[in-house]
C-alpha cells in the first residue's frame, strides 16, 4: 500500500509541478562586492571534466564531473571554490540543488540517482535504476518530485518527495515509460538529454536529440504521454542542458557553442526561437544555470582528450532580454 500511495502522490504532482526552490540562506557570509563586479569566468580544477551545474542556496555554483563523484562548489562573487568529495567514484552528470542544500545527481552509466548533502558531501540516498545500458543524464526538481532522464532508454525516473521534502524508499522510485509521439533511437543509442518543467507547471519538457533531427517533447508526468513541441522548425540536434525562466527556455547546444532561447506558451506545447547566445569563451558548454541577470555555463571541452592537467572553466554571459 505504501508503494501505491507514493506513486499516486508523485504522479498527481504533475497537476502542479511549480518551480523548484533554489533560494535559501547562503552557505557563507555575504560578499561585499556587488554582482556587477563578480567575475565573468573562473577556473575549475584541472582534469575535473565538468558537465552539470546547479546554483544555490545563495550565490554559489555546484559542478558535477564526468570523471568521478566529487563536486566542486564555487562562489559566484569571487570565483574561488573547493572540491567536495562524496565518497564515490561514480560520475556526477546533471545536478540540481534545493533550498535545504541537497544536491540531486544523475549518475550517468552508474545507473544511480544520488542525493548528497552539499555542505559535507555525505551521500544521503542512492537509488539504482534502469538496465545495463542505462545512462542517467539530467534532473529537474519540482515541489513533489525529482525527475531524471535516461539517455538510452525510453523512460523517466521519478523520486517522490514527502510533504517536507523527505526522500523516498528505494521501492518507491517510479519508472515512467515514454509513449505517445516519443521516438527512441534503435539499439539503445543516445536519445534523451536535458529536462525542465512546462511554464504552467503541469508537464515536463524533455530534449530528444534523435527524433526529427532534435526535438523538444512535452511529457505528461502522470501517464508518460509525450507530444512534440511546435518550435516553429527549430531543431535541437545538440541539445543538452535546459533552463526555464518564466516562459523562456534556454537550451544549450553544446557542439554548436550556443544557447538557443525559446519563448513558450503556458502549456509548453508551442514555442518560437527568440534569440541565440554565443560567446568566444564557449568551449563546448553543456549545461546552464542562472543567478541575477547572468547565465552560467561550464565548458566541458569534449573536443579534446581529457587528461589530469586539462584546464576547465565556467563562464557567465548576460541573460538575453
Amino acid at each position: 500500500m505504501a508503494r501505491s500511495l507514493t506513486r499516486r502522490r508523485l504522479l498527481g504532482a504533475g497537476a502542479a509541478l511549480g518551480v523548484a526552490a533554489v533560494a535559501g540562506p547562503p552557505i557563507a557570509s555575504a560578499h561585499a562586492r556587488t554582482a556587477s563586479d563578480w567575475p565573468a569566468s573562473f577556473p575549475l580544477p584541472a582534469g575535473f571534466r565538468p558537465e552539470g551545474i546547479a546554483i544555490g542556496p545563495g550565490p554559489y555554483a555546484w559542478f558535477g564531473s564526468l570523471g568521478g563523484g566529487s563536486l566542486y562548489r564555487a562562489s559566484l562573487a569571487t570565483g574561488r571554490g573547493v572540491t567536495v568529495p562524496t565518497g564515490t567514484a561514480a560520475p556526477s552528470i546533471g545536478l540540481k540543488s534545493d533550498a535545504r542544500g541537497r544536491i540531486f545527481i544523475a549518475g550517468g552509466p552508474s545507473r544511480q540517482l544520488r542525493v548528497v548533502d552539499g555542505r559535507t558531501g555525505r551521500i544521503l540516498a542512492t537509488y539504482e535504476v534502469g538496465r545495463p545500458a542505462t545512462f542517467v543524464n539530467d534532473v529537474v526538481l519540482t515541489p513533489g518530485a525529482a525527475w531524471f532522464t535516461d539517455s538510452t532508454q525510453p523512460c523517466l525516473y521519478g523520486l517522490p518527495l514527502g510533504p517536507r521534502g523527505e526522500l523516498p524508499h528505494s521501492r518507491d522510485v517510479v519508472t515512467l515509460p515514454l509513449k505517445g509521439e516519443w521516438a527512441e533511437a534503435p539499439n539503445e543509442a543516445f536519445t534523451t538529454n536535458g529536462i525542465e518543467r512546462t511554464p504552467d507547471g503541469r508537464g515536463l519538457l524533455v530534449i530528444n536529440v534523435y527524433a526529427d533531427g532534435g526535438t523538444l517533447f512535452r511529457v505528461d508526468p502522470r501517464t508518460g504521454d509525450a507530444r512534440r513541441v511546435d518550435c516553429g522548425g527549430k531543431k535541437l540536434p545538440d541539445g543538452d542542458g535546459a533552463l526555464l525562466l518564466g516562459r523562456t527556455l534556454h537550451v544549450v547546444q553544446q557542439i554548436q557553442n550556443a544557447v538557443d532561447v525559446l519563448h513558450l506558451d503556458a502549456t509548453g506545447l508551442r514555442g518560437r526561437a527568440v534569440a541565440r547566445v554565443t560567446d568566444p569563451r564557449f568551449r563546448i558548454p553543456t549545461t546552464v544555470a542562472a543567478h541575477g541577470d547572468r547565465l552560467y555555463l561550464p565548458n566541458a571541452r569534449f573536443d579534446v582528450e581529457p587528461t589530469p592537467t586539462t584546464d576547465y572553466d565556467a563562464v557567465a554571459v548576460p541573460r538575453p532580454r
Side-chain angles (χ1 to χ4, degrees), residues 14-30:
L17 293 179
V19 182
V22 295
I27 297 173
S29 60

Side-chain angles (χ1 to χ4, degrees), residues 51 66 93-94 106-109 111 113 129-131 133-139 148-157 178 182-195 206-210 239-241 254:
E51 212 282 350
L66 286 162
I93 314 299
R111 299 166 52 194
L113 322 177
V129 295
R131 297 163 50 87
T134 282
F135 188 99
V136 187
N137 195 315
D138 207 355
V139 55
F148 297 77
T149 59
D150 187 333
S151 290
T152 62
Q153 309 297 320
C155 63
L156 303 177
Y157 306 111
L178 298 173
W182 186 261
E184 188 79 7
N187 303 317
E188 297 183 320
F190 194 99
T191 300
T192 312
N193 211 318
I195 184 170
V206 180
I207 296 171
N208 182 319
V209 298
Y210 165 74
D240 199 331
Q254 42 156 284

Side-chain angles (χ1 to χ4, degrees), residues 197-241:
R197 59 175 184 84
T198 58
D200 65 6
R202 295 180 178 273
L204 299 167
L205 297 169
V206 180
I207 296 171
N208 182 319
V209 298
Y210 165 74
D212 303 321
T215 302
L216 186 66
F217 282 82
R218 183 200 185 278
V219 175
D220 186 332
R222 298 167 298 178
T223 66
D225 182 61
R227 300 295 167 185
R228 287 174 172 82
V229 178
D230 179 359
C231 293
K234 183 66 181 177
K235 300 297 184 182
L236 305 172
D238 304 307
D240 199 331

Side-chain angles (χ1 to χ4, degrees), residues 143-181:
W147 288 101
F148 297 77
T149 59
D150 187 333
S151 290
T152 62
Q153 309 297 320
C155 63
L156 303 177
Y157 306 111
L159 292 184
L161 304 177
R164 292 180 294 278
E166 300 93 337
L167 299 175
H169 190 280
S170 58
R171 65 174 177 266
D172 295 320
V173 176
V174 168
T175 297
L176 182 69
L178 298 173
K179 51 190 180 181
E181 296 178 350

Side-chain angles (χ1 to χ4, degrees), residues 53-80:
I53 182 175
I55 292 180
Y60 292 85
W62 300 88
F63 299 90
S65 171
L66 286 162
S70 293
L71 303 175
Y72 185 73
R73 185 184 73 205
S75 165
L76 299 180
T78 67
R80 295 191 294 269

Side-chain angles (χ1 to χ4, degrees), residues 300-318:
R301 303 198 67 192
F302 288 156
D303 57 339
V304 301
E305 187 69 25
T307 73
T309 59
T310 302
D311 68 286
Y312 295 99
D313 65 349
V315 298
V317 297

